[in-house]
Amino acid sequence: MLARTEPINGTAKPKPVSSPMNNFKSDLLNSFSLKSLKLKTKQQELLIRVSILCLVYVLAFITRLFSVLRYESMIHEFDPYFNYRTTLFLTQKGFYDFWNWFDSESWYPLGRIIGGTLYPGLMVTAAIIYWTLRFLRFAVHIREVCVLTAPFFASNTTIVAYFFGKEIWDSGAGLVAAALIAICPGYISRSVAGSYDNEGVAIFALLWTFYLFVKAVNTGSLAWALASAFGYFYMVSAWGGYVFIINLIPLYVMVLLITGRYSLRLYVAYNCMYVLGMLLAMQIRFVGFQHVQSGEHMAAMGVFFLMQVFYFLDWVKYLLNDAKLFQVFLRITVTFTVGVGAIALGVGTASGYISPWTGRFYSLLDPTYAKDHIPIIASVSEHQPTAWSSFMFDFHILLFLFPAGLYFCFKRLSDATIFIVMYGLTSMYFAGVMVRLILVATPAVCLISAIAVSATIKNLTLLLRAKNKVAQTASAKGIGSAKSSSKGLLDQSQPFHRNGAIALLLGAFYLLSKYAMHCTWVTSEAYSSPSIVLAARGAHGNRVIFDDYREAYFWLRQNTPPDAKVMSWWDYGYQITAMGNRTVIVDNNTWNNTHIATVGCAMSSYEDEAYEIMRSLDVDYVLVVFGGVTGYSSDDINKFLWMVRIGGGVFPVIKEPDYLVNGEYRVDKGASPKMLNCLMYDRARGVEIGNKDVKLEYLEEAFTTSNWIVRIYKVKPPNNRW
Amino acid sequence: MEKLSISILLTISLLPFLCSSFSPESPTDRRILVLLDDFSFKSSHSIFFNSLKSRGFDLDFKLADDPKLALQRYGQYLYDGLVLFSPSVERFGGALDLAAVLDFVDSGHDLIVAADASASDLIKSIATECGVDFDEDPSAMVIDHKKYAVSEIEGDHTLIAADDLIQSDVILGKTKIEAPVLFKGIAHSINVANGLALKVLSASPSAYSANPNSKLSSPPSLTGSAISLVSVMQARNNARIMITGSLDIFSNRFFTSSVQNAESKIKYDKSGNEQFVTELSKWIFHERGHLKAVNVRHHKVGEADEPAMYRIKDDLDFSVEIYEWSGKSWEPYVADDVQVQFYMMSPYVLKTLSTDQKGLYHASFKVPDVYGVFQFKVEYQRLGYTSLSLSKQIPVRPFRHNEYERFITTAFPYYGASFATMAGFFIFSFVYLYNK
């Protein structure tokens, strides 16, 4: 550990300055190496590092408050409303009632065992924060806690990112990683204030688990592995994405085994983490025995047994001195183990003890699987394959820094860098498969990019410093594009390389400031919309707010009987129960495909057939979203083809081609006759071109919001005289 | 509790709003508006009207084209029943029209419609809306060459002595109607799409509907027992409607005349009309066959309070009280075929209720091993009775985490194995660490 003796320029942007420069062996420091000053420099460095972290912490929090400023402190989107409702229940009724909660207000008439079908981590976290604040005599409302949970955990994630970066590279990379992840749009998209969803805390838990595991592998410490198991437990309690961890870590271990990096540290870390993590995860009701029974978790178990075999082989090798004999023994053992494992897996799968992979898992490995087999998964927009533009949108320059970072990682391979490389590559693949998984890739991309940035800056500043002793003050701001900088490092003999380095630093500074501006712009424009309140630019450039959803839900709450059942497409289920306080037929927890298909069938049938279905489900009101008047594009008619596909998946009466004209989906006059007559069309495009003046026989309009976005229809009772 | 059951009764009867005097507590009508073509009907049908008056009804006679006609004032109905003895009216006077009559029925009030050969389109369209189609040929009448009533004028087979009555004590009273019912008028048929209308008096298989004064050129559209002479319809809100193609059926002349069926030898001194019409009007005006179900209760066995939610496999008691309106008071209704369903999309439990003969029906059963939002459903639809359709929603939850069996006997080997492993591991560690 070498410290610089020169006083650090306080006015400079401090990020790279604080990097401790482990490998820097400069002789020019000798003259000033006074012990007292050295200590002081260390303290300064620590001070700067801590203050940077604090600033990043605050930055990560406040950049996510755009939505609160733009709109108001409210819960966003669809799923967060369910989370909010359950959190409210938890704080009011206590943990045991929450754990055993049977909700009769959703999925009428089946009901839903909420306690057993959710990941309670988010709710418990928010409730604990709430109770703590109440205990400290802060009279906050639970909604405020929920709104701010995601930004709070995003801030915590930056700290974890710092430590993680420090673990895999150095503390400079850690600081850069913290700064990058604080404002990275890919992460902000799921963690703005009000986005009270599992991912908000899960990314924190994910990174935390990974960090602790890497730490455990690096140190071989039982304590770190234990902490990692608890981190894993928190992750399992928070998000279904824990499957990524339980598959990535075995994969990583497997790679280490194959590359001959097996060590006792790895043995301790993995075994402790796996066994304890598995036992802890079983305590979550929703996960239950999946760790031993589901195909998705079998990789971890296989690697666990493989580790034992490796340990055993090591032991045998230690006992046997004959290398030839050991080779034979190795061959027999490996064959035998693989054979036993394969047989066990085959028998387990055939007997049904090990459940096969779920559709969601398949659809990750094969992007086209969901489209062909499970329309309900494919129907969700965030499950669509990612477009290039959204990579650019969410990562900006990180997309270019990522390969550079990989290069640096490969240049300095260690257990830790192998891990981050594995994490980065797999998550990038998944991000390409599904839009929402960009979120999982974001920490890896930020960390790897941070390595690139940090290493580049270090190289550039080294270059500057080596040539010019006073250059250090200039070293501050820049962070450069990796390839060119490393080239600069190599070609030290080139003339003008110092000027080149300065130019590169300036260019890097420009790029990074562009990144910061892009992130801020994206956050304020794209990711802070609550989607329940719509904003648009009016004809004169003024902001127009459409608050139709809440208007409609409020109407439901005020004007319908308390036991009224509302049928809508499942997107709006959570919001209706949370805000309208009415029973819904289907909601966003898409656990029962048949039930959703029944609703899809009702929506895409002729009115009289639909009436039969609605009567059998005791439906009182039908809620549809209609964008015809305001030009709101994500209305029910846009989702209609999915209703047809999902309905047709269970009820073969519904056939997709009936709704298409020459293979095209049209909603105007040219739409197919079946399309024009089905219930959904009547509901959603009541006044749209194509079929005007629809007369409804079995439904009557009950309420239409001021901008016509939400329309509620009442199901008429059977005719009195017929 | 009382209020709750009343409101249940109201909701099941699907009343859009309540009328003033036709209350669930005393369902018999009181104020009846009688619309006539001509005030002479007052005397020609006086026996019928007097029997109504003597049973306590308050009759209000108006001409059908009276310009001041109104069924409701300030949103309140002025009458509980409407009798249309005005077959030839083309347009009602005042605020009354087809829609007003139908609204009257749809708000739970009763209606008697009598047509004859001069029936107007208005009357026919009222009947059509109530599920009954009159013969479209305006000159057609019901002709029966076999079961006509023997009278002085030979060859007039439009006066029919009908005896094909519906078999229902509730609708027609307990006393059997011996004498045939005289009928002279037009035919109608029940619309097949309507499941609520009933033929009370059907024509014989030899009857047909045609113009009696002209030669039959084409086959008649309505023939045989498809022809209904008197029909009733009980709407879903329990409003009762009687439709007949003969105004004369109510007349004094038919009430008092003797009758002999052309096929039988027996001659009755008095036709069955009076008894038939009187008994039927009792049913129409809710003096008979009106049920109410109150005090729907359910609770766990051994408890008294109604829970907000059941658990699967709970034992529960269900009870309901059913009373029948006797015209003056509520009497216990006794039957052995009342069933309760425990229903979630399909009945999971279907149980016949046992009665204590005092109106209380009771059943106890075990909640099925299925969770969800269930309903207690009593669907009691019997011929002539008002339909009882109760449903009470109740969620059924699964076991709580601490309601399962704590220790299972068959699992004792596993418990033993677990603890043995733990103990063994502890001992092994101890020995391994300290016994080198």
Side-chain angles (χ1 to χ4, degrees), chain A residues 96-97 100 102 108-110 113 565 618 719-722, chain B residues 106 129 191 194 236-237 344 371-373 393 396 401:
Chain A
Y96 278 109
D97 276 354
N100 290 304
F102 173 71
Y108 181 86
L110 307 170
I113 307 172
K565 285 100 195 165
D618 297 334
N719 194 314
N720 188 31
R721 282 165 280 113
W722 285 80
Chain B
D106 288 344
E129 288 293 329
N191 191 325
N194 191 315
R236 289 183 206 278
N237 62 1
M344 181 179 76
Y371 60 82
V373 182
Q393 188 171 311
V396 173
H401 71 284

PDB file of all heavy atoms in Angstrom, chain A residues 96-97 100 102 108-110 113 565 618 719-722, chain B residues 106 129 191 194 236-237 344 371-373 393 396 401:
ATOM      1  N   TYR A  96     -48.671 -12.891  11.488  1.00  0.00           N
ATOM      2  CA  TYR A  96     -49.284 -14.215  11.365  1.00  0.00           C
ATOM      3  C   TYR A  96     -50.539 -14.187  10.503  1.00  0.00           C
ATOM      4  O   TYR A  96     -50.790 -15.103   9.733  1.00  0.00           O
ATOM      5  CB  TYR A  96     -49.563 -14.817  12.738  1.00  0.00           C
ATOM      6  CG  TYR A  96     -48.328 -15.453  13.312  1.00  0.00           C
ATOM      7  CD1 TYR A  96     -47.663 -14.889  14.382  1.00  0.00           C
ATOM      8  CD2 TYR A  96     -47.808 -16.596  12.738  1.00  0.00           C
ATOM      9  CE1 TYR A  96     -46.515 -15.455  14.874  1.00  0.00           C
ATOM     10  CE2 TYR A  96     -46.644 -17.177  13.222  1.00  0.00           C
ATOM     11  CZ  TYR A  96     -45.997 -16.605  14.291  1.00  0.00           C
ATOM     12  OH  TYR A  96     -44.855 -17.164  14.751  1.00  0.00           O
ATOM     13  N   ASP A  97     -51.307 -13.127  10.640  1.00  0.00           N
ATOM     14  CA  ASP A  97     -52.480 -13.014   9.773  1.00  0.00           C
ATOM     15  C   ASP A  97     -52.067 -12.838   8.321  1.00  0.00           C
ATOM     16  O   ASP A  97     -52.721 -13.320   7.405  1.00  0.00           O
ATOM     17  CB  ASP A  97     -53.361 -11.829  10.213  1.00  0.00           C
ATOM     18  CG  ASP A  97     -54.293 -12.235  11.327  1.00  0.00           C
ATOM     19  OD1 ASP A  97     -54.312 -13.442  11.639  1.00  0.00           O
ATOM     20  OD2 ASP A  97     -54.973 -11.367  11.880  1.00  0.00           O
ATOM     21  N   ASN A 100     -50.982 -16.166   6.904  1.00  0.00           N
ATOM     22  CA  ASN A 100     -52.089 -17.095   6.663  1.00  0.00           C
ATOM     23  C   ASN A 100     -53.226 -16.442   5.885  1.00  0.00           C
ATOM     24  O   ASN A 100     -54.344 -16.926   5.898  1.00  0.00           O
ATOM     25  CB  ASN A 100     -52.646 -17.596   7.997  1.00  0.00           C
ATOM     26  CG  ASN A 100     -51.681 -18.512   8.668  1.00  0.00           C
ATOM     27  OD1 ASN A 100     -51.263 -19.503   8.097  1.00  0.00           O
ATOM     28  ND2 ASN A 100     -51.299 -18.182   9.882  1.00  0.00           N
ATOM     29  N   PHE A 102     -55.892 -15.549   3.535  1.00  0.00           N
ATOM     30  CA  PHE A 102     -56.634 -16.065   2.384  1.00  0.00           C
ATOM     31  C   PHE A 102     -57.478 -14.915   1.856  1.00  0.00           C
ATOM     32  O   PHE A 102     -58.357 -14.413   2.549  1.00  0.00           O
ATOM     33  CB  PHE A 102     -57.520 -17.238   2.802  1.00  0.00           C
ATOM     34  CG  PHE A 102     -58.415 -17.692   1.689  1.00  0.00           C
ATOM     35  CD1 PHE A 102     -57.897 -18.350   0.598  1.00  0.00           C
ATOM     36  CD2 PHE A 102     -59.779 -17.443   1.728  1.00  0.00           C
ATOM     37  CE1 PHE A 102     -58.708 -18.755  -0.441  1.00  0.00           C
ATOM     38  CE2 PHE A 102     -60.592 -17.841   0.695  1.00  0.00           C
ATOM     39  CZ  PHE A 102     -60.055 -18.493  -0.384  1.00  0.00           C
ATOM     40  N   TYR A 108     -62.103 -14.325  -7.803  1.00  0.00           N
ATOM     41  CA  TYR A 108     -63.416 -14.836  -7.490  1.00  0.00           C
ATOM     42  C   TYR A 108     -63.795 -15.915  -8.500  1.00  0.00           C
ATOM     43  O   TYR A 108     -63.595 -15.719  -9.679  1.00  0.00           O
ATOM     44  CB  TYR A 108     -64.441 -13.696  -7.518  1.00  0.00           C
ATOM     45  CG  TYR A 108     -65.818 -14.133  -7.185  1.00  0.00           C
ATOM     46  CD1 TYR A 108     -66.228 -14.189  -5.871  1.00  0.00           C
ATOM     47  CD2 TYR A 108     -66.691 -14.553  -8.184  1.00  0.00           C
ATOM     48  CE1 TYR A 108     -67.490 -14.641  -5.557  1.00  0.00           C
ATOM     49  CE2 TYR A 108     -67.946 -15.001  -7.873  1.00  0.00           C
ATOM     50  CZ  TYR A 108     -68.335 -15.038  -6.560  1.00  0.00           C
ATOM     51  OH  TYR A 108     -69.586 -15.495  -6.245  1.00  0.00           O
ATOM     52  N   PRO A 109     -64.380 -17.026  -8.135  1.00  0.00           N
ATOM     53  CA  PRO A 109     -64.665 -17.424  -6.762  1.00  0.00           C
ATOM     54  C   PRO A 109     -63.598 -18.327  -6.153  1.00  0.00           C
ATOM     55  O   PRO A 109     -63.860 -18.931  -5.125  1.00  0.00           O
ATOM     56  CB  PRO A 109     -65.964 -18.205  -6.946  1.00  0.00           C
ATOM     57  CG  PRO A 109     -65.819 -18.860  -8.270  1.00  0.00           C
ATOM     58  CD  PRO A 109     -64.958 -17.969  -9.109  1.00  0.00           C
ATOM     59  N   LEU A 110     -62.440 -18.410  -6.778  1.00  0.00           N
ATOM     60  CA  LEU A 110     -61.462 -19.355  -6.251  1.00  0.00           C
ATOM     61  C   LEU A 110     -60.762 -18.815  -5.017  1.00  0.00           C
ATOM     62  O   LEU A 110     -60.415 -19.548  -4.116  1.00  0.00           O
ATOM     63  CB  LEU A 110     -60.424 -19.672  -7.326  1.00  0.00           C
ATOM     64  CG  LEU A 110     -60.990 -20.137  -8.663  1.00  0.00           C
ATOM     65  CD1 LEU A 110     -59.891 -20.190  -9.696  1.00  0.00           C
ATOM     66  CD2 LEU A 110     -61.605 -21.503  -8.506  1.00  0.00           C
ATOM     67  N   ILE A 113     -54.615 -17.800  -1.793  1.00  0.00           N
ATOM     68  CA  ILE A 113     -53.879 -17.852  -0.534  1.00  0.00           C
ATOM     69  C   ILE A 113     -52.710 -16.902  -0.687  1.00  0.00           C
ATOM     70  O   ILE A 113     -51.680 -17.248  -1.242  1.00  0.00           O
ATOM     71  CB  ILE A 113     -53.382 -19.277  -0.248  1.00  0.00           C
ATOM     72  CG1 ILE A 113     -54.528 -20.256  -0.320  1.00  0.00           C
ATOM     73  CG2 ILE A 113     -52.717 -19.341   1.100  1.00  0.00           C
ATOM     74  CD1 ILE A 113     -54.085 -21.693  -0.230  1.00  0.00           C
ATOM     75  N   LYS A 565     -68.716  -7.875  -8.096  1.00  0.00           N
ATOM     76  CA  LYS A 565     -67.569  -8.489  -8.749  1.00  0.00           C
ATOM     77  C   LYS A 565     -67.299  -7.765 -10.058  1.00  0.00           C
ATOM     78  O   LYS A 565     -68.210  -7.548 -10.844  1.00  0.00           O
ATOM     79  CB  LYS A 565     -67.838  -9.968  -9.038  1.00  0.00           C
ATOM     80  CG  LYS A 565     -67.760 -10.841  -7.824  1.00  0.00           C
ATOM     81  CD  LYS A 565     -69.112 -11.152  -7.289  1.00  0.00           C
ATOM     82  CE  LYS A 565     -69.040 -11.717  -5.899  1.00  0.00           C
ATOM     83  NZ  LYS A 565     -70.344 -11.688  -5.245  1.00  0.00           N
ATOM     84  N   ASP A 618     -70.795 -14.735 -11.762  1.00  0.00           N
ATOM     85  CA  ASP A 618     -71.448 -13.720 -10.918  1.00  0.00           C
ATOM     86  C   ASP A 618     -70.886 -12.321 -11.153  1.00  0.00           C
ATOM     87  O   ASP A 618     -70.758 -11.528 -10.230  1.00  0.00           O
ATOM     88  CB  ASP A 618     -71.296 -14.056  -9.423  1.00  0.00           C
ATOM     89  CG  ASP A 618     -71.970 -15.352  -9.077  1.00  0.00           C
ATOM     90  OD1 ASP A 618     -72.911 -15.718  -9.778  1.00  0.00           O
ATOM     91  OD2 ASP A 618     -71.552 -16.001  -8.105  1.00  0.00           O
ATOM     92  N   ASN A 719     -83.648 -10.977 -17.870  1.00  0.00           N
ATOM     93  CA  ASN A 719     -84.906 -10.316 -18.181  1.00  0.00           C
ATOM     94  C   ASN A 719     -86.008 -10.777 -17.240  1.00  0.00           C
ATOM     95  O   ASN A 719     -86.163 -11.957 -16.982  1.00  0.00           O
ATOM     96  CB  ASN A 719     -85.273 -10.655 -19.623  1.00  0.00           C
ATOM     97  CG  ASN A 719     -86.364  -9.762 -20.123  1.00  0.00           C
ATOM     98  OD1 ASN A 719     -87.354  -9.553 -19.432  1.00  0.00           O
ATOM     99  ND2 ASN A 719     -86.189  -9.231 -21.311  1.00  0.00           N
ATOM    100  N   ASN A 720     -86.730  -9.817 -16.743  1.00  0.00           N
ATOM    101  CA  ASN A 720     -87.744 -10.128 -15.731  1.00  0.00           C
ATOM    102  C   ASN A 720     -88.825 -11.051 -16.259  1.00  0.00           C
ATOM    103  O   ASN A 720     -89.324 -11.911 -15.561  1.00  0.00           O
ATOM    104  CB  ASN A 720     -88.361  -8.814 -15.260  1.00  0.00           C
ATOM    105  CG  ASN A 720     -89.273  -9.010 -14.080  1.00  0.00           C
ATOM    106  OD1 ASN A 720     -89.056  -9.904 -13.274  1.00  0.00           O
ATOM    107  ND2 ASN A 720     -90.291  -8.187 -13.987  1.00  0.00           N
ATOM    108  N   ARG A 721     -89.187 -10.867 -17.499  1.00  0.00           N
ATOM    109  CA  ARG A 721     -90.369 -11.571 -17.984  1.00  0.00           C
ATOM    110  C   ARG A 721     -90.021 -12.717 -18.919  1.00  0.00           C
ATOM    111  O   ARG A 721     -90.907 -13.295 -19.534  1.00  0.00           O
ATOM    112  CB  ARG A 721     -91.300 -10.579 -18.678  1.00  0.00           C
ATOM    113  CG  ARG A 721     -92.085  -9.744 -17.701  1.00  0.00           C
ATOM    114  CD  ARG A 721     -92.713  -8.540 -18.341  1.00  0.00           C
ATOM    115  NE  ARG A 721     -91.784  -7.444 -18.528  1.00  0.00           N
ATOM    116  CZ  ARG A 721     -91.376  -7.006 -19.708  1.00  0.00           C
ATOM    117  NH1 ARG A 721     -91.810  -7.567 -20.804  1.00  0.00           N
ATOM    118  NH2 ARG A 721     -90.547  -5.997 -19.782  1.00  0.00           N
ATOM    119  N   TRP A 722     -88.739 -13.007 -19.105  1.00  0.00           N
ATOM    120  CA  TRP A 722     -88.397 -14.056 -20.057  1.00  0.00           C
ATOM    121  C   TRP A 722     -87.545 -15.106 -19.396  1.00  0.00           C
ATOM    122  O   TRP A 722     -86.849 -14.850 -18.469  1.00  0.00           O
ATOM    123  CB  TRP A 722     -87.675 -13.481 -21.270  1.00  0.00           C
ATOM    124  CG  TRP A 722     -88.635 -12.792 -22.145  1.00  0.00           C
ATOM    125  CD1 TRP A 722     -89.123 -11.545 -21.960  1.00  0.00           C
ATOM    126  CD2 TRP A 722     -89.276 -13.315 -23.301  1.00  0.00           C
ATOM    127  NE1 TRP A 722     -90.015 -11.239 -22.933  1.00  0.00           N
ATOM    128  CE2 TRP A 722     -90.141 -12.314 -23.780  1.00  0.00           C
ATOM    129  CE3 TRP A 722     -89.197 -14.533 -23.971  1.00  0.00           C
ATOM    130  CZ2 TRP A 722     -90.923 -12.497 -24.898  1.00  0.00           C
ATOM    131  CZ3 TRP A 722     -89.964 -14.712 -25.089  1.00  0.00           C
ATOM    132  CH2 TRP A 722     -90.827 -13.691 -25.547  1.00  0.00           C
TER     133      TRP A 722
ATOM    134  N   ASP B 106     -92.674  -4.923 -14.138  1.00  0.00           N
ATOM    135  CA  ASP B 106     -91.272  -5.120 -13.774  1.00  0.00           C
ATOM    136  C   ASP B 106     -90.936  -4.573 -12.402  1.00  0.00           C
ATOM    137  O   ASP B 106     -89.876  -4.869 -11.860  1.00  0.00           O
ATOM    138  CB  ASP B 106     -90.360  -4.473 -14.825  1.00  0.00           C
ATOM    139  CG  ASP B 106     -90.359  -5.268 -16.110  1.00  0.00           C
ATOM    140  OD1 ASP B 106     -90.807  -6.426 -16.074  1.00  0.00           O
ATOM    141  OD2 ASP B 106     -89.921  -4.730 -17.147  1.00  0.00           O
ATOM    142  N   GLU B 129     -95.139  -9.223 -24.943  1.00  0.00           N
ATOM    143  CA  GLU B 129     -94.052  -8.879 -24.029  1.00  0.00           C
ATOM    144  C   GLU B 129     -94.047  -9.783 -22.805  1.00  0.00           C
ATOM    145  O   GLU B 129     -93.047  -9.900 -22.112  1.00  0.00           O
ATOM    146  CB  GLU B 129     -94.171  -7.414 -23.581  1.00  0.00           C
ATOM    147  CG  GLU B 129     -93.822  -6.411 -24.661  1.00  0.00           C
ATOM    148  CD  GLU B 129     -92.350  -6.464 -25.038  1.00  0.00           C
ATOM    149  OE1 GLU B 129     -91.536  -6.785 -24.156  1.00  0.00           O
ATOM    150  OE2 GLU B 129     -92.031  -6.220 -26.213  1.00  0.00           O
ATOM    151  N   ASN B 191     -94.949 -18.604 -25.927  1.00  0.00           N
ATOM    152  CA  ASN B 191     -93.709 -18.494 -26.677  1.00  0.00           C
ATOM    153  C   ASN B 191     -92.698 -19.493 -26.120  1.00  0.00           C
ATOM    154  O   ASN B 191     -92.420 -19.516 -24.926  1.00  0.00           O
ATOM    155  CB  ASN B 191     -93.175 -17.060 -26.529  1.00  0.00           C
ATOM    156  CG  ASN B 191     -92.044 -16.782 -27.481  1.00  0.00           C
ATOM    157  OD1 ASN B 191     -91.250 -17.664 -27.761  1.00  0.00           O
ATOM    158  ND2 ASN B 191     -91.994 -15.565 -27.970  1.00  0.00           N
ATOM    159  N   ASN B 194     -89.942 -18.516 -23.792  1.00  0.00           N
ATOM    160  CA  ASN B 194     -90.234 -18.016 -22.457  1.00  0.00           C
ATOM    161  C   ASN B 194     -90.423 -19.177 -21.506  1.00  0.00           C
ATOM    162  O   ASN B 194     -91.314 -20.007 -21.664  1.00  0.00           O
ATOM    163  CB  ASN B 194     -91.501 -17.158 -22.508  1.00  0.00           C
ATOM    164  CG  ASN B 194     -91.708 -16.404 -21.227  1.00  0.00           C
ATOM    165  OD1 ASN B 194     -91.578 -16.959 -20.141  1.00  0.00           O
ATOM    166  ND2 ASN B 194     -92.022 -15.131 -21.338  1.00  0.00           N
ATOM    167  N   ARG B 236     -89.711 -12.989 -12.910  1.00  0.00           N
ATOM    168  CA  ARG B 236     -88.625 -13.289 -11.973  1.00  0.00           C
ATOM    169  C   ARG B 236     -88.734 -12.481 -10.692  1.00  0.00           C
ATOM    170  O   ARG B 236     -88.220 -12.876  -9.658  1.00  0.00           O
ATOM    171  CB  ARG B 236     -87.275 -13.001 -12.637  1.00  0.00           C
ATOM    172  CG  ARG B 236     -86.946 -14.006 -13.704  1.00  0.00           C
ATOM    173  CD  ARG B 236     -85.577 -13.751 -14.284  1.00  0.00           C
ATOM    174  NE  ARG B 236     -85.517 -14.281 -15.640  1.00  0.00           N
ATOM    175  CZ  ARG B 236     -85.293 -15.557 -15.935  1.00  0.00           C
ATOM    176  NH1 ARG B 236     -85.105 -16.419 -14.965  1.00  0.00           N
ATOM    177  NH2 ARG B 236     -85.271 -15.965 -17.185  1.00  0.00           N
ATOM    178  N   ASN B 237     -89.375 -11.353 -10.755  1.00  0.00           N
ATOM    179  CA  ASN B 237     -89.559 -10.590  -9.529  1.00  0.00           C
ATOM    180  C   ASN B 237     -90.872 -10.964  -8.846  1.00  0.00           C
ATOM    181  O   ASN B 237     -91.352 -10.240  -7.979  1.00  0.00           O
ATOM    182  CB  ASN B 237     -89.508  -9.097  -9.820  1.00  0.00           C
ATOM    183  CG  ASN B 237     -90.605  -8.668 -10.752  1.00  0.00           C
ATOM    184  OD1 ASN B 237     -91.432  -9.484 -11.172  1.00  0.00           O
ATOM    185  ND2 ASN B 237     -90.643  -7.384 -11.070  1.00  0.00           N
ATOM    186  N   MET B 344     -69.732 -23.285  -5.318  1.00  0.00           N
ATOM    187  CA  MET B 344     -68.691 -22.438  -5.893  1.00  0.00           C
ATOM    188  C   MET B 344     -68.519 -22.878  -7.335  1.00  0.00           C
ATOM    189  O   MET B 344     -67.874 -23.869  -7.613  1.00  0.00           O
ATOM    190  CB  MET B 344     -67.374 -22.573  -5.146  1.00  0.00           C
ATOM    191  CG  MET B 344     -66.291 -21.673  -5.710  1.00  0.00           C
ATOM    192  SD  MET B 344     -64.734 -21.803  -4.836  1.00  0.00           S
ATOM    193  CE  MET B 344     -64.119 -23.363  -5.440  1.00  0.00           C
ATOM    194  N   TYR B 371     -60.920 -24.681  -0.818  1.00  0.00           N
ATOM    195  CA  TYR B 371     -61.083 -23.303  -0.385  1.00  0.00           C
ATOM    196  C   TYR B 371     -61.544 -22.432  -1.548  1.00  0.00           C
ATOM    197  O   TYR B 371     -61.387 -22.793  -2.700  1.00  0.00           O
ATOM    198  CB  TYR B 371     -59.800 -22.760   0.233  1.00  0.00           C
ATOM    199  CG  TYR B 371     -58.611 -22.757  -0.693  1.00  0.00           C
ATOM    200  CD1 TYR B 371     -58.420 -21.726  -1.610  1.00  0.00           C
ATOM    201  CD2 TYR B 371     -57.696 -23.788  -0.672  1.00  0.00           C
ATOM    202  CE1 TYR B 371     -57.346 -21.740  -2.474  1.00  0.00           C
ATOM    203  CE2 TYR B 371     -56.623 -23.809  -1.524  1.00  0.00           C
ATOM    204  CZ  TYR B 371     -56.452 -22.785  -2.423  1.00  0.00           C
ATOM    205  OH  TYR B 371     -55.388 -22.790  -3.290  1.00  0.00           O
ATOM    206  N   GLY B 372     -62.132 -21.313  -1.204  1.00  0.00           N
ATOM    207  CA  GLY B 372     -62.643 -20.415  -2.230  1.00  0.00           C
ATOM    208  C   GLY B 372     -63.804 -19.619  -1.666  1.00  0.00           C
ATOM    209  O   GLY B 372     -64.109 -19.703  -0.488  1.00  0.00           O
ATOM    210  N   VAL B 373     -64.433 -18.876  -2.528  1.00  0.00           N
ATOM    211  CA  VAL B 373     -65.575 -18.099  -2.096  1.00  0.00           C
ATOM    212  C   VAL B 373     -66.830 -18.891  -2.415  1.00  0.00           C
ATOM    213  O   VAL B 373     -67.214 -19.024  -3.568  1.00  0.00           O
ATOM    214  CB  VAL B 373     -65.606 -16.724  -2.777  1.00  0.00           C
ATOM    215  CG1 VAL B 373     -66.783 -15.931  -2.273  1.00  0.00           C
ATOM    216  CG2 VAL B 373     -64.321 -15.991  -2.528  1.00  0.00           C
ATOM    217  N   GLN B 393     -72.997 -15.249   0.515  1.00  0.00           N
ATOM    218  CA  GLN B 393     -71.605 -15.523   0.178  1.00  0.00           C
ATOM    219  C   GLN B 393     -70.791 -15.745   1.443  1.00  0.00           C
ATOM    220  O   GLN B 393     -70.953 -15.025   2.419  1.00  0.00           O
ATOM    221  CB  GLN B 393     -71.085 -14.325  -0.598  1.00  0.00           C
ATOM    222  CG  GLN B 393     -69.721 -14.515  -1.178  1.00  0.00           C
ATOM    223  CD  GLN B 393     -69.391 -13.379  -2.114  1.00  0.00           C
ATOM    224  OE1 GLN B 393     -70.158 -13.011  -2.987  1.00  0.00           O
ATOM    225  NE2 GLN B 393     -68.241 -12.789  -1.910  1.00  0.00           N
ATOM    226  N   VAL B 396     -64.238 -19.594   2.226  1.00  0.00           N
ATOM    227  CA  VAL B 396     -63.702 -20.744   2.952  1.00  0.00           C
ATOM    228  C   VAL B 396     -62.191 -20.712   2.799  1.00  0.00           C
ATOM    229  O   VAL B 396     -61.672 -20.683   1.694  1.00  0.00           O
ATOM    230  CB  VAL B 396     -64.264 -22.056   2.390  1.00  0.00           C
ATOM    231  CG1 VAL B 396     -63.578 -23.242   3.034  1.00  0.00           C
ATOM    232  CG2 VAL B 396     -65.754 -22.130   2.606  1.00  0.00           C
ATOM    233  N   HIS B 401     -51.232 -21.946   9.404  1.00  0.00           N
ATOM    234  CA  HIS B 401     -49.994 -22.722   9.504  1.00  0.00           C
ATOM    235  C   HIS B 401     -49.942 -23.549  10.786  1.00  0.00           C
ATOM    236  O   HIS B 401     -49.255 -24.558  10.854  1.00  0.00           O
ATOM    237  CB  HIS B 401     -48.790 -21.786   9.444  1.00  0.00           C
ATOM    238  CG  HIS B 401     -48.618 -20.937  10.666  1.00  0.00           C
ATOM    239  ND1 HIS B 401     -49.408 -19.843  10.906  1.00  0.00           N
ATOM    240  CD2 HIS B 401     -47.784 -21.051  11.713  1.00  0.00           C
ATOM    241  CE1 HIS B 401     -49.042 -19.301  12.046  1.00  0.00           C
ATOM    242  NE2 HIS B 401     -48.070 -20.009  12.562  1.00  0.00           N
TER     243      HIS B 401
END
